[in-house]
Amino acid sequence: MSAVIETHDHDDHHHGPAEGLTRWLYTTNHKDIGTLYLWFSFAMFLIGGAMAMVIRAELFQPGMQIVEPEFYNQMLTLHGLIMVFGAVMPAFVGLANWLIPMMVGAPDMALPRMNNLSFWILPVAFFILLSSLFMEGGAPNFGWTFYAPLSTTYAPPSVTFFIFSVHIMGASSIMGSINVIVTIMNMRAPGMTLMKMPLFVWSWLITAYLLIAVMPVLAGAVTMMLMDIHFGTSFFNAAGGGDPVLFQHIFWFFGHPEVYIMILPAFGITSHIIETFSRKQLFGHTSMVWAMTSIAILSFVVWAHHMFTVGLPLAAELFFMWATMLIAVPTGVKVFNWVTTMFKGSITYETPMLFAIAFVVLFTIGGFSGLMLAITPADFQYHDTYFVVAHFHYVLVPGAIFSIMAAVYYWIPKWTGNMYDERLGRLHFWLSFIGVNVTFFPQHWIGLAGMPRRVPDYALQFADWNMVSSVGAFLFGASQILFLFIVIKTVMGGKKATPEVWEGARGLEWTVDSPAPYHTFSTPPKVS
Amino acid sequence: MNEGSKKTIKLLCFSVLGMFTFSFALVPLYDVFCEVTGLNGKIELEATTNQNLETEIGRDVSIQFVSHNNEQMPWIFRPSESQIKIQTGKYHTATFYVKNPTNKRMIAQAIPSVAPSNAASHLKKLECFCFEEQELAPGEEALLPVRLIFDDELPDSIKSVVLSYTIFDVTDYNDLEMTDHHDGHEMEASL
Ligand code: HEM
Ligand SMILES: [Cu+2]
């Protein structure tokens, strides 16, 4: 795609950012808000990561060593909630804010003030959630899936605050999605047809529709919990005619599309990076769009693969098994396209490319373990074991999170105007790559051997691999401090980046200066 | 902001409201679905209105009765007989023994479940203690009847059916006539 910029922004000087802290509080600039989201998610990543360190420290050896089982459960619950809703999702929203307006040639997001609001309610939500640690009865302890009646009848009193914070997170996501969709649908530069749209924009368009569809269902689920707990209804209480299994259906109707919400933007990012560093045009742009669309649609009819063991009738077990396996087809198309793009390309292995290649390989491993779990009779054995933990960490850590890191390395020269330190970036990659695999690969084995998930203690035969896994986790955790250091170093200074940054990079964002001026595309570029 | 954006925003807001409503609509939908298909082992909590279930020929089915107490429900609750042989197309009456060993007046609700679940829609009840709440004075005991029938369409592959009941404590402890404290209800007090 080629772009012609008709005019540069000449009025930068009287439209620069405000000074001081209020700049961040009142900002409606998509780049500022993107930065806020990214820093917020980084903070959450470190907090959630610290909790993971507590978990792995306790599991370092069998027996109860460091924390009480009650506290272990709270750590596990908060770790999951914070990583999903605090780290991965806001990071993608941050990237969307920074990149979508620049990629479609729009001056800003469509609803800048709502954009400000949707960011600033997030820290409030997580403040509430984290403060539950200090409440009587402790923080939520029922797992990130908050199954009733664990989260209703047996929940600590802080569950009400949990519900409130989930409502706020949901509102934030919904507002963010509305903004994304309106921007993409109505503010594209002239000449940018839907099919010419960059894949990251496409992936976010689809993600935003998924969010619009399922976040309200999540809100409904927690509202029903609230009513069961405080207003005497019985949505999930069998004594009053309700059904706890209904909770699982509603939760996973939200939950499965949610896992794709956490991976679709990663697909977009990976496509851009592989294209750039292979120095070839991406293979199969159109099929990528269709693959993402069909994955999104299918994600609504597979939710019960999380519930194979609740006692579904045979017909449902079979339906959800086949529907789940069907998703592997469009997923396979994507992996095929990435590999084909790299094939015979003149590849160089800068840090973003390293993370992107690792993404393709390790995400595929996660996809394969997902396929194993989709086989109903096999899942009867694997369900609620560490095999499931290994599966979803492979798709989420070297999947979603590696893609976010790749994106940061890839676009940070555009954001800051400085190149990151390539040597340190590669070191960070290799430490993370080794750490992630040492942590999560052995969890496949202990899971197949029968170790249940969500336990603070375990039988002796699982001891060795748990210790290995913990060592890997500490390595992975420590290497993220290096990441923080690299990011700060790049913000502070470094080799100046050219506007194009990467040789042959495609897309409108590479046509503006580095760092990108505070206002870009006040006059829309022409796309041909 | 242009007209197109306004339209998109309106549409999206409607979708959000629509999906929120849909999440609540899932509750009745789920119940209807379970009732129609008999999945989930759920059976109607109402007496059958079909008077013509009794037929001449019938085959043997064995039926096992199982009882559970939910949480800390202190009542003694068990079937009088744990297993009986009955014929399809014939009414049978079984009883469950129940006693309130506490010194409080308590109210209970029993919830039935049938396994295998595809037997559920063929098991009809003319009368069941699960149709209404049961109230027992301190120390009181009772024999609770259930009058049931299997219709002729019960699949041939099913030779044995489990009918289980779980009793739940549904006493309203806020009601002043009832007594003071009970586990599992401290939530309301502390929030
Ligand atoms: C080919 C694609 C995939 C297939 C076939 C698949 C299949 C499954 C199945 C069957 C389970 C349930 C296992 C059980 O609880 O017994 C599961 C769990 C899970 N999957 Fe996947 N999956 C796939 C991709 C993904 C992706 C892309 C993500 C997220 C980015 C993801 C995240 C999760 C999570 C978080 C859980 C566990 C939820 C929990 O119980 O806490 N999966 N997957
Ligand atoms: Cu799923």
Side-chain angles (χ1 to χ4, degrees):
Chain A
M1 174 196 316
S2 67
V4 185
I5 302 172
E6 295 204 314
T7 41
H8 267 286
D9 257 316
H10 291 301
D11 41 16
D12 273 359
H13 42 277
H14 42 192
H15 272 122
E19 297 292 319
L21 268 184
T22 49
R23 162 182 176 185
W24 299 105
L25 205 54
Y26 299 132
T27 184
T28 56
N29 178 285
H30 72 102
K31 299 186 182 84
D32 281 354
I33 293 175
T35 306
L36 285 170
Y37 266 110
L38 286 168
W39 275 113
F40 174 78
S41 79
F42 207 155
M44 286 297 132
F45 180 56
L46 294 178
I47 294 175
M51 291 171 175
M53 295 301 109
V54 174
I55 294 166
R56 281 321 315 176
E58 178 56 53
L59 295 174
F60 188 71
Q61 285 184 333
M64 297 306 302
Q65 330 280 347
I66 298 175
V67 294
E68 297 295 315
E70 293 75 24
F71 187 68
Y72 179 89
N73 289 344
Q74 297 171 25
M75 285 293 104
L76 204 65
T77 306
L78 288 180
H79 164 73
L81 291 168
I82 287 176
M83 287 306 195
V84 169
F85 295 105
V88 175
M89 290 171 66
F92 282 139
V93 181
L95 292 171
N97 263 291
W98 251 105
L99 298 172
I100 289 177
M102 289 205 294
M103 285 179 160
V104 301
D108 204 317
M109 296 295 273
L111 304 154
R113 268 171 298 180
M114 190 169 84
N115 208 8
N116 173 291
L117 180 65
S118 67
F119 172 76
W120 277 109
I121 58 178
L122 262 192
V124 177
F126 282 89
F127 176 79
I128 294 172
L129 184 63
L130 282 170
S131 65
S132 66
L133 273 170
F134 307 101
M135 290 176 191
E136 208 183 306
N141 56 3
F142 29 68
W144 83 279
T145 52
F146 53 101
Y147 281 8
L150 279 178
S151 60
T152 51
T153 318
Y154 302 102
S158 64
V159 66
T160 308
F161 292 91
F162 158 81
I163 291 172
F164 190 47
S165 74
V166 170
H167 268 308
I168 300 175
M169 294 171 206
S172 164
S173 291
I174 288 171
M175 289 193 277
S177 319
I178 292 180
N179 230 329
V180 166
I181 296 177
V182 179
T183 308
I184 298 176
M185 296 311 278
N186 299 291
M187 294 172 66
R188 291 191 312 274
M192 183 173 284
T193 57
L194 278 180
M195 266 346 215
K196 273 193 196 155
M197 226 161 56
L199 279 176
F200 179 72
V201 181
W202 254 113
S203 69
W204 243 110
L205 181 64
I206 298 168
T207 303
Y209 276 114
L210 282 181
L211 280 164
I212 295 279
V214 299
M215 290 315 275
V217 177
L218 175 69
V222 292
T223 307
M224 290 177 211
M225 275 168 60
L226 187 78
M227 290 164 79
D228 272 10
I229 294 169
H230 293 295
F231 308 124
T233 56
S234 301
F235 287 104
F236 308 129
N237 178 3
D243 192 333
V245 175
L246 173 65
F247 176 87
Q248 298 188 24
H249 281 293
I250 298 178
F251 179 83
W252 287 115
F253 186 82
F254 148 77
H256 188 84
E258 166 69 18
V259 309
Y260 282 102
I261 286 164
M262 294 190 284
I263 206 66
L264 285 175
F267 290 165
I269 292 166
T270 307
S271 305
H272 287 281
I273 294 175
I274 289 187
E275 178 178 51
T276 297
F277 292 96
S278 304
R279 291 171 182 73
K280 277 173 64 188
Q281 195 173 356
L282 187 78
F283 182 83
H285 182 98
T286 312
S287 65
M288 286 297 210
V289 171
W290 286 113
M292 286 194 285
T293 312
S294 41
I295 288 174
I297 293 169
L298 281 174
S299 75
F300 286 102
V301 293
V302 298
W303 77 89
H305 64 217
H306 297 274
M307 303 170 56
F308 282 143
T309 59
V310 295
L312 297 178
L314 186 62
E317 306 262 19
L318 288 171
F319 172 79
F320 286 107
M321 173 168 90
W322 290 116
T324 302
M325 291 186 164
L326 205 58
I327 294 198
V329 176
T331 312
V333 169
K334 303 196 69 73
V335 174
F336 178 84
N337 287 351
W338 290 322
V339 174
T340 311
T341 307
M342 288 190 275
F343 185 67
K344 288 194 170 164
S346 346
I347 304 180
T348 51
Y349 297 94
E350 283 87 348
T351 311
M353 185 61 166
L354 289 174
F355 274 105
I357 294 176
F359 169 91
V360 174
V361 175
L362 300 181
F363 172 77
T364 305
I365 293 180
F368 279 137
S369 58
L371 274 177
M372 290 171 69
L373 290 166
I375 304 167
T376 308
D379 186 67
F380 275 62
Q381 168 74 15
Y382 307 153
H383 181 61
D384 269 348
T385 68
Y386 257 80
F387 191 80
V388 178
V389 178
H391 158 67
F392 68 74
H393 280 93
Y394 258 87
V395 283
L396 284 171
V397 185
I401 290 183
F402 269 24
S403 82
I404 294 165
M405 289 173 176
V408 169
Y409 283 111
Y410 186 58
W411 279 293
I412 208 173
K414 181 55 62 189
W415 302 336
T416 63
N418 304 320
M419 296 303 287
Y420 60 89
D421 185 328
E422 187 62 54
R423 252 187 41 248
L424 287 182
R426 288 184 195 191
L427 178 67
H428 170 230
F429 167 76
W430 283 110
L431 291 176
S432 299
F433 180 82
I434 294 168
V436 121
N437 284 294
V438 172
T439 309
F440 296 115
F441 212 86
Q443 294 184 0
H444 290 114
W445 300 322
I446 49 181
L448 292 181
M451 177 167 161
R453 66 190 279 205
R454 291 176 169 158
V455 288
D457 186 10
Y458 48 85
L460 291 180
Q461 69 266 34
F462 306 124
D464 294 349
W465 286 121
N466 267 295
M467 193 178 281
V468 171
S469 181
S470 289
V471 170
F474 300 145
L475 175 67
F476 184 79
S479 18
Q480 303 326 312
I481 308 295
L482 176 60
F483 184 38
L484 180 63
F485 174 77
I486 296 172
V487 171
I488 292 176
K489 187 163 174 256
T490 316
V491 174
M492 308 286 277
K495 210 180 103 214
K496 292 293 158 230
T498 60
E500 196 187 27
V501 182
W502 309 107
E503 179 200 17
R506 295 151 208 263
L508 289 176
E509 77 269 33
W510 307 112
T511 62
V512 302
D513 283 345
S514 299
Y518 199 56
H519 295 287
T520 37
F521 299 124
S522 300
T523 359
K526 270 224 176 61
V527 180
S528 50
Chain B
M1 180 177 311
N2 60 29
E3 281 306 305
S5 300
K6 281 194 191 134
K7 224 171 120 195
T8 318
I9 296 169
K10 235 192 241 153
L11 223 91
L12 292 173
C13 290
F14 274 121
S15 318
V16 169
L17 285 181
M19 287 310 290
F20 187 71
T21 317
F22 174 71
S23 71
F24 279 83
L26 281 173
V27 179
L29 281 176
Y30 175 75
D31 282 340
V32 169
F33 186 78
C34 289
E35 213 170 287
V36 170
T37 55
L39 300 180
N40 206 13
K42 271 198 173 180
I43 43 180
E44 296 136 75
L45 284 179
E46 268 166 38
T48 177
T49 46
N50 189 342
Q51 300 299 322
N52 311 320
L53 289 169
E54 279 201 287
T55 48
E56 288 294 305
I57 9 115
R59 69 177 175 89
D60 285 349
V61 192
S62 97
I63 175 161
Q64 296 168 354
F65 299 104
V66 177
S67 63
H68 297 285
N69 285 27
N70 186 49
E71 299 173 33
Q72 278 100 41
M73 176 60 166
W75 287 16
I76 297 162
F77 176 51
R78 58 176 139 78
S80 307
E81 278 168 298
S82 60
Q83 174 163 7
I84 55 174
K85 263 224 153 47
I86 67 176
Q87 287 79 39
T88 58
K90 268 218 167 67
Y91 274 107
H92 292 269
T93 304
T95 54
F96 280 70
Y97 170 79
V98 54
K99 176 173 180 174
N100 176 2
T102 68
N103 55 10
K104 304 172 278 194
R105 171 168 287 277
M106 288 177 70
I107 303 172
Q109 169 72 54
I111 303 287
S113 177
V114 175
S117 58
N118 53 343
S121 53
H122 304 285
L123 177 61
K124 301 281 192 294
K125 295 166 173 177
L126 199 57
E127 190 189 327
C128 178
F129 57 92
C130 60
F131 293 160
E132 52 219 30
E133 294 177 346
Q134 303 292 329
E135 184 170 345
L136 290 186
E140 191 185 349
E141 54 186 357
L143 269 187
L144 305 176
V146 48
R147 192 158 164 73
L148 52 85
I149 187 168
F150 280 110
D151 66 26
D152 272 339
E153 266 104 75
L154 185 71
D156 277 343
S157 59
I158 299 176
K159 309 275 187 266
S160 153
V161 172
V162 179
L163 173 58
S164 85
Y165 287 94
T166 304
I167 48 165
F168 292 81
D169 181 4
V170 293
T171 317
D172 182 3
Y173 291 93
N174 293 329
D175 193 336
L176 288 180
E177 271 175 55
M178 305 285 181
T179 12
D180 38 46
H181 169 82
H182 183 261
D183 290 336
H185 283 257
E186 70 266 275
M187 291 287 316
E188 277 107 306
S190 64
L191 278 171

